[in-house]
Amino acid sequence: MGTFCSVIKFENLQELKRLCHWGPIIALGVIAICSTMAMIDSVLWYWPLHTTGGSVNFIMLINWTVMILYNYFNAMFVGPGFVPLGWKPENSQDSMYLQYCQVCQAYKAPRSHHCRKCNRCVLKMDHHCPWINNCCGYQNHASFTLFLLLAPLGCIHAAFIFVMTMYTQLYNRLSFGWNTVKIDMSAARRDPLPIIPFGLAAFAATLFALGLALGTTIAVGMLFFIQIKIILRNQTSIESWIEEKAKDRIQYYQLDEVFVFPYDTGSRWKNFKQIEQLKQKADKRVRSVRYKVIEDYSGACCPLNKGIKTFFTSPCTEEPRIRLQKGEFILATRGLRYWLYGDKILDDSFIEGVSRIRGWFPRNCVEKCPCDAETEQAPEGEKKNR
């Protein structure tokens, strides 16, 4: 009883709000549909439970579902692990090697990054996953990876049941030339026939569940493959991205001159990536373009009053939109053909990390400042065509 009470706490109940998001709703919906249909097909139309094979098959289905949900909820509710608010290294001299987060009012521990969604600095942050509506980091990376492994395996098992159910039920009903196929289906045939016939509705539901299972196997399997590649390199997705961007200019750096982190075991490459991250932030600031707001924008995701093209080309991302008022200034860092992404400049001066307000806004609401219009430099990532 004590263990049960320690789990059901107010803080844990507050975390249930993470379920109220399109990512967990879709993910849990797919798991529920595939698992339910696989069990129904096994009980009613495929492998009788009174046989040894049918019992083993049904137990495996339940086992897949339990393990998938266990690791999924662990990844969601355990969380990635956050840097404590106001954290400082024990040795004050070590702070000179660390970045400072103005939002958390704390130094960033090595390999940690600030997540705009969680609004916290995450330990060993890999990425923010919308499917669990949480970050993937130090504490829940193992559970998240196991979920990526178990989900395709469970879907492959479910897909096999869906295919065999439709095959066994349609074998003697439709003439597709299958009567020439020599397959022993005696273990799956029933005598007497099942109480509920395999009708059109059951066929449509099984076919729909088969599509979900195959799609999940491909999509989640690719994510698992990417995660394994990164894990084997002892990296995170963010560090891998930094490394890829660093390859273009790595020849300009002398690794022998890179300092060593007091928290690191002499790994110069990790130190180099830390310096490279700071360099990329500085370069991004240099490539930024200053804009002046000439038209108010309410911050709507798909504004109807900004033109049809702006409405239909709204960025497909969870990144926020920012409200604009005429006369304000924006520092744009990247953009699309009809949208820009940038930071709002407060008090006519941009100070990194202090009260940052950033997000997407329509391009037709702003114009380049005279000082920046003379240069032909465009925001990073800007595309002529969407």
Side-chain angles (χ1 to χ4, degrees), residues 110-111 234 258-272:
R111 307 187 74 179
N234 191 24
V258 177
F259 57 81
V260 177
F261 270 126
Y263 302 98
D264 213 323
T265 58
S267 176
R268 293 185 175 184
W269 177 242
K270 292 180 181 179
N271 299 337
F272 169 73

Side-chain angles (χ1 to χ4, degrees), residues 27-91:
L28 293 175
V30 171
I31 295 173
I33 292 174
C34 292
S35 300
T36 303
M37 283 305 305
M39 294 179 187
I40 291 175
D41 284 4
S42 297
V43 172
L44 295 179
W45 299 298
Y46 180 44
W47 224 340
L49 290 181
H50 64 265
T51 63
T52 303
S55 300
V56 172
N57 175 68
F58 192 76
I59 292 174
M60 286 182 63
L61 282 176
I62 297 177
N63 186 51
W64 288 126
T65 304
V66 171
M67 290 193 301
I68 289 172
L69 291 177
Y70 174 78
N71 286 282
Y72 180 83
F73 287 126
N74 260 357
M76 178 186 293
F77 294 127
V78 169
F82 301 106
V83 178
L85 296 175
W87 178 81
K88 296 180 181 179
E90 295 182 359
N91 188 352

Side-chain angles (χ1 to χ4, degrees), residues 250-302:
I250 192 173
Q251 62 272 19
Y252 297 106
Y253 292 91
Q254 295 292 335
L255 291 180
D256 292 337
E257 298 178 0
V258 177
F259 57 81
V260 177
F261 270 126
Y263 302 98
D264 213 323
T265 58
S267 176
R268 293 185 175 184
W269 177 242
K270 292 180 181 179
N271 299 337
F272 169 73
K273 286 189 288 187
Q274 181 80 358
I275 295 177
E276 176 62 22
Q277 183 183 4
L278 295 174
K279 176 64 176 176
Q280 289 175 9
K281 288 183 178 180
D283 291 348
K284 185 177 181 180
R285 184 56 46 78
V286 171
R287 293 192 297 268
S288 302
V289 179
R290 189 185 182 99
Y291 286 87
K292 182 179 181 180
V293 180
I294 59 174
E295 186 177 336
D296 292 345
Y297 168 55
S298 62
C301 181
C302 300

